[in-house]
């Protein structure tokens, strides 16, 4: 019984899946931040073009 418990504690196969999940979440947050920043810049540019065309 103790041997099974020790092998359970030494098992790290789930740790890599959690690490990959955290990396994917971090990349997703970075992409969302960049797209949000570019979106406001593009909105500003299109507004200035619309104003110039009127």
């Amino acid at each position: 019984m103790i041997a099974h418990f020790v092998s359970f504690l030494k098992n790290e196969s789930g740790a890599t899946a959690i690490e990959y999940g955290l990396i994917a979440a971090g990349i997703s947050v970075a992409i969302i931040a960049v797209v949000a920043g570019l979106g406001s810049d593009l909105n500003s540019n299109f507004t200035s073009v619309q104003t110039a065309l009127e």
Side-chain angles (χ1 to χ4, degrees), residues 1 7 13 21-22 24 28 49:
M1 181 70 182
S7 69
S13 62
L22 290 173
S28 299
V49 168

Side-chain angles (χ1 to χ4, degrees), residues 13-48:
S13 62
T16 54
I18 293 172
E19 290 168 356
Y20 285 134
L22 290 173
I23 290 170
I27 291 171
S28 299
V29 168
I31 290 172
I32 290 170
V34 168
V35 168
L38 289 176
S40 64
D41 288 344
L42 284 175
N43 190 18
S44 173
N45 287 341
F46 283 130
T47 303
S48 65

